[in-house]
Amino acid sequence: MKLTKLVIATGNLKKLKEFERLLAPLGIVVLPQSAFDVPEAPEPHCTFLENALAKARNAARHTGLPALADDSGICVDALNGAPGVNSAYYAGAQKSDADNNAKLIADLQGVAHRRAHYTAVLALVMHENDPEPIIAEGRWWGEMIDTPRGAGGFGYDPYFLDIALNQTAAEMPIDIKGAHSHRGRALAALLLRLQE
Ligand code: IMP
């Protein structure tokens, strides 16, 4: 089945922009779930995979269209993988990037080992009860720094340093971030699956 139109199951406009840019060359029109007043899906699960699937099924149910969801977050080695699936709410239900970053950097005070990775799991369902969702994942390794750098991106980006590029995710133009990021890598893997 040729995929031409997709609902993206996110309320995050920055994520939406990243998906739009990555899917446009394939002729896939991307529609935000906000255009259909899709209510946000609960994310009660302890794995990115289960949360991504719940979001994709929720968007497909409310729109009748194929839906793509990502569940993503940052996992810090020294914090046993936290914030992990709780990345959006690390400092509380208000979902504030500034509060989340302040908490994470406070938690890492005096910690020398700064290794961390972003992870993204994508789930694509053709319809609400699709028994064969297409799943793909991507990881992006780096280190947490104490002083923010850059004004792009979102979330933890100003504190996440790609060691090889010596840039934080917030310092990179969106296309460079897309080429290296967890979401970009997961999407590349998803597209390979789609071509099969
Ligand atoms: P989700 O929308 O429930 O998947 O939550 C993802 C959360 O993980 C975001 O709110 C951010 O805090 C964090 N996150 C995921 N991807 C990125 C990224 O590319 N840059 C910065 N933060 C990210």
Side-chain angles (χ1 to χ4, degrees), residues 57-185:
R57 292 200 193 285
N58 178 62
R61 174 162 59 248
H62 286 90
T63 62
L65 289 168
L68 174 65
D70 111 308
D71 199 52
S72 52
I74 194 159
C75 304
V76 180
D77 282 10
L79 302 176
N80 293 322
V85 290
N86 297 317
S87 291
Y89 306 95
Y90 193 44
Q94 71 277 15
K95 262 185 155 182
S96 151
D97 285 348
D99 293 353
N100 289 339
N101 281 319
K103 174 165 166 51
L104 184 56
I105 296 312
D107 288 351
L108 287 173
Q109 275 296 306
V111 175
H113 181 71
R114 291 305 185 106
R115 205 162 143 79
H117 66 277
Y118 276 126
T119 194
V121 176
L122 299 180
L124 173 64
V125 296
M126 295 303 167
H127 58 85
E128 178 190 351
N129 296 314
D130 190 344
E132 295 180 293
I134 298 181
I135 306 292
E137 54 183 51
R139 288 191 177 74
W140 188 13
W141 288 93
E143 278 183 12
M144 302 314 295
I145 56 172
D146 283 318
T147 310
R149 285 168 39 182
F154 65 97
Y156 300 92
D157 283 349
Y159 295 89
F160 179 81
L161 184 70
D162 182 303
I163 301 295
L165 299 179
N166 189 25
Q167 279 187 317
T168 68
E171 289 179 302
M172 296 174 191
I174 190 168
D175 54 323
I176 303 293
K177 181 180 172 189
H180 292 85
S181 77
H182 48 316
R183 202 166 298 104
R185 288 175 193 188

Side-chain angles (χ1 to χ4, degrees), residues 26-70:
L26 301 168
I28 300 175
V29 175
V30 161
L31 303 164
Q33 68 174 12
S34 58
F36 301 86
D37 290 329
V38 175
E40 246 185 60
E43 298 176 35
H45 304 293
C46 60
T47 66
F48 294 104
L49 170 61
E50 290 164 293
N51 287 329
L53 251 182
K55 288 193 256 188
R57 292 200 193 285
N58 178 62
R61 174 162 59 248
H62 286 90
T63 62
L65 289 168
L68 174 65
D70 111 308

